[in-house]
Amino acid sequence: MRTLSPRLMLLVLGLLCAGSVGLALLAQHRFDMQPCPWCILQRILFIVLSVLALVGAALPGNLGRRVLSALSLPLALGGIAAALWQHFVAAKTSSCALTFADRVNSYFGLDTRWPEWFEVRANCSDAAVSVLGVPFEFWALALFAVATVVLSISVVTSRRA
């Protein structure tokens, strides 16, 4: 049985992360599922992971790919933590103001540069919605977990492809 090359896995991961942001924007603008600070933080992490995975897939050789994958791992793990925090803590509160996610969003100023993508439009309890019976943040959690596995494989695999 032939396994997928790390380069192909990074390419697919980059496309999945970009696609998840596209789906989040579709949910926001077409189906009125407004994002909270934790949603926006995860959106930012998916964008950065997408860019790093796509660059890693495009790099010749495997050293650059392995380095970018290693640098990306904390982002994927942070995404897991953010999704879990959103579900088990933030969604149970009426305000997300001044949380870690809110501070990160404010620090980068993305909400003022590109409000249609990064502006917080709901508090955490109002943003707690489900898609196909699964909380929205658990879909993100699953993709962050996949990213963690793919990036880990990419770091430890020395195969060229």
Side-chain angles (χ1 to χ4, degrees):
M1 183 171 111
R2 188 165 180 222
T3 60
L4 295 177
S5 71
R7 176 170 287 166
L8 181 58
M9 287 192 295
L10 285 175
L11 174 64
V12 170
L13 176 64
L15 295 174
L16 284 173
C17 289
S20 74
V21 174
L23 288 173
L25 290 168
L26 175 70
Q28 174 184 339
H29 295 292
R30 180 80 169 122
F31 301 108
D32 199 35
M33 295 171 67
Q34 299 304 315
C36 72
W38 290 96
C39 300
I40 298 296
L41 177 61
Q42 291 169 68
R43 195 176 286 184
I44 293 167
L45 290 172
F46 279 130
I47 290 169
V48 175
L49 281 170
S50 177
V51 169
L52 292 175
L54 293 172
V55 169
L59 287 176
N62 67 8
L63 179 61
R65 171 185 50 79
R66 292 173 79 181
V67 168
L68 279 178
S69 295
L71 293 173
S72 300
L73 263 171
L75 299 173
L77 293 170
I80 289 172
L84 290 171
W85 184 270
Q86 179 182 355
H87 182 77
F88 291 109
V89 179
K92 313 282 189 267
T93 63
S94 60
S95 173
C96 304
L98 302 177
T99 63
F100 175 75
D102 198 45
R103 286 187 220 137
V104 168
N105 297 340
S106 295
Y107 176 79
F108 288 109
L110 299 174
D111 56 338
T112 56
R113 288 185 187 101
W114 298 288
E116 294 302 314
W117 282 45
F118 299 109
E119 184 177 62
V120 172
R121 298 181 178 205
N123 66 39
C124 293
S125 60
D126 291 340
V129 296
S130 295
V131 175
L132 301 175
V134 177
F136 207 72
E137 60 273 15
F138 280 1
W139 290 102
L141 174 67
L143 184 52
F144 283 123
V146 167
T148 300
V149 170
V150 168
L151 294 168
S152 296
I153 290 169
S154 181
V155 168
V156 299
T157 302
S158 61
R159 179 177 145 203
R160 280 184 159 258

